[in-house]
Amino acid sequence: MNPFPPVNQKTLLRDWRVLCDDIGERRAGSTAERRAAEFVARRWAEMGLTSVVIEEFPCTSLVSARSRVQAWSGGRWRAVEAQTLVGAPGTPAGRTVEGEIVWLELPENRAVLKRGALRGKIAVLFGPLPTRVEHHRQLVAAQPSAVIHVDERLPFPWAKSDGVYPAWVKRHGMPPTVTVPYTEAWQWRQAGVRQLRVGVRIVQRTALSQNVIAELPGTSPHLPALVLSAHHDTQCDNPGADDNASGVVGLLALARSLAAVPRRRTIRFISFGCEEQLSVGSAAYVAAHRTAMRRVGLVVNFDSVASPLGHLELWRVGPVALGTLAERWLARAVVGVRTSAEVSPFFDTFPFNRVGVPSLCFYRPNFSGGRWQHHSRHDTLANVSVDELARLVTAVAPFVRNLANRATWPFARAFPADQRRVVRRLGAELFES
Ligand SMILES: [Zn+2]
């Protein structure tokens, strides 16, 4: 019944190694990110895909960052590992600021964030970074000299890399912000550390990032197309084997399989750049092709899908029947998924959702906090599974082929009302336009 030969695991691994070993870290706007885009374009051209094109757009690119954090403990200053948040400013002239710690458990203690209340102090924020814009504005208005973020989802002895919402920094400002390991903050609490020094020297510039687009044209080009997508950029200081070389390698494998079978509808493949700063590449693509969005029927996205241990999740934005159909097709390949109807602004599908295009996102978290290796030096080829990626590609290819050959789809385009409301709210809050 499955018309596709088994996925060649050697080919998967070869592509994965090019992205992670030969190219490595692929932060937005860097030469490495461009090399990744060119590699993807080259592969698609080799497979015979048509209309292969690289579209460029501006982004913020981190040129260099040096964060120094020291804790006063046992009568001396002790250096601590720290990572800079891309998009946040440095300390004035990159100099070290010294201040008393104010512990913030957010969001529940946001009442502490009165205007100017943290002036001259260093806020150590335990929890997520603010997810609501009013909390972010309160944090900025409290004017801490610096913020140290301790991510409650990652209770490990290393600091994660991350970025901030560009629209929030632009509209409301941002204090200098760094991350430290969870275990380090734990120790500060235990040892009664009260005083910190923080110095952040950060050089950022506007640079170009790239989206790569290619097509397998259908015989009925008037029918809405199917878009399959992933992102090839990474956070700083890691090769992003799972986030998201896994998605890109999966996309290449899907193109290879689907190129061999006929189709009515066009299948468009897109590998986005600059996802890690909140889907900048995907938003640029949607903006540049705004009038063509009515002719996109569905986006299927792959982001961080190759954890050896994990739960395969399918995030659906769009009609319930779309999710049910996907589940049925995956079940044929004996692949079960946890489905979610939550709208996430963190996938590249969100800019499409904003203009009414339904979407499915595959994601494979491996613990209740998400993925333990999230945005850290541990996101390497040693921590992904070729078997898992092959299993996913094998399950998804027949589903995509089926969708691409139907003149009509057994689901409507309109989203449920609650999803529509959330898309509108998150869009207005997190994006610039
Ligand atoms: Zn990602």
Side-chain angles (χ1 to χ4, degrees), residues 182-319:
Y182 179 107
T183 48
E184 184 60 43
W186 185 279
Q187 232 181 304
W188 294 351
R189 279 302 257 208
Q190 291 289 68
V193 170
R194 295 213 172 135
Q195 206 72 11
L196 293 177
R197 282 178 176 168
V198 180
V200 185
R201 189 180 292 280
I202 182 163
V203 182
Q204 301 179 102
R205 65 183 175 111
T206 301
L208 290 174
S209 176
Q210 296 81 24
N211 292 328
V212 191
I213 302 134
E215 287 187 352
L216 287 172
T219 52
S220 308
H222 62 282
L223 291 174
L226 253 165
V227 169
L228 306 187
S229 67
H231 72 85
H232 53 261
D233 66 306
T234 62
Q235 284 285 353
C236 299
D237 302 319
N238 77 79
D242 192 31
D243 184 10
N244 185 29
S246 68
V248 174
V249 171
L251 213 54
L252 293 175
L254 279 166
R256 219 170 264 122
S257 294
L258 291 161
V261 294
R263 72 210 77 82
R264 291 169 98 140
R265 294 177 192 246
T266 295
I267 305 175
R268 187 171 307 137
F269 294 84
I270 312 180
S271 184
F272 294 111
C274 201
E275 182 271 353
E276 297 291 0
Q277 296 174 26
L278 198 64
S279 300
V280 174
S282 158
Y285 178 82
V286 170
H289 302 272
R290 183 69 181 82
T291 51
M293 283 301 118
R294 234 166 317 160
R295 299 186 49 236
V296 175
L298 174 69
V299 186
V300 183
N301 187 59
F302 302 84
D303 198 338
S304 311
V305 290
S307 277
L309 273 179
H311 291 285
L312 184 62
E313 292 186 349
L314 184 59
W315 293 53
R316 180 251 318 159
V317 178

